[in-house]
Amino acid sequence: MNVPAEELPVVGEAARQVIREAKAAGVYRFAGGINAAMPPQRVDGDGTLSQGTYPQTKDFDGGFCVLRLPSREAAELWAAKIAKACRCAQELREFFDDPES
């Protein structure tokens, strides 16, 4: 996301408008931002703590949004709306529900 600081409020409002639209459509589940002030930390299976993150995600920032949608095509349309609002590319992933959660 390469947006001048003075344009961030406009981008933020555009993103919130897409979230409001998703809520009105009944597809919104949750969304949030990454707290850049809190550095990432890894916790290994044995409980060992390490500063940092996986090399492939070292540049991850911003946030995420989870929507419940009927098809991949619908997900692509919503991702395009979010990308337009945020003025940057979005990564689209499919999330599977755990039947016991």
Side-chain angles (χ1 to χ4, degrees), residues 15-16 19 23 28-36 60-67 82 86 90:
R16 285 188 292 279
I19 296 301
K23 287 178 178 180
Y28 176 85
R29 292 298 171 253
F30 64 92
I34 302 298
N35 181 356
F60 180 76
D61 63 359
F64 63 93
C65 178
V66 177
L67 305 176
I82 294 169
C86 293
Q90 301 294 302

Side-chain angles (χ1 to χ4, degrees), residues 24-98:
V27 298
Y28 176 85
R29 292 298 171 253
F30 64 92
I34 302 298
N35 181 356
M38 181 66 75
Q41 189 173 38
R42 283 192 347 220
V43 182
D44 292 330
D46 64 1
T48 302
L49 301 175
S50 306
Q51 294 302 315
T53 187
Y54 298 106
Q56 66 271 28
T57 61
K58 70 182 179 86
D59 294 327
F60 180 76
D61 63 359
F64 63 93
C65 178
V66 177
L67 305 176
R68 183 178 301 265
L69 298 163
S71 66
R72 180 70 177 198
E73 292 77 19
E76 291 167 355
L77 292 172
W78 280 99
K81 289 180 185 188
I82 294 169
K84 182 178 179 182
C86 293
R87 301 183 192 177
C88 63
Q90 301 294 302
E91 182 175 328
L92 179 60
R93 297 283 186 127
E94 186 170 349
F95 184 82
F96 291 103
D97 287 326
D98 181 335

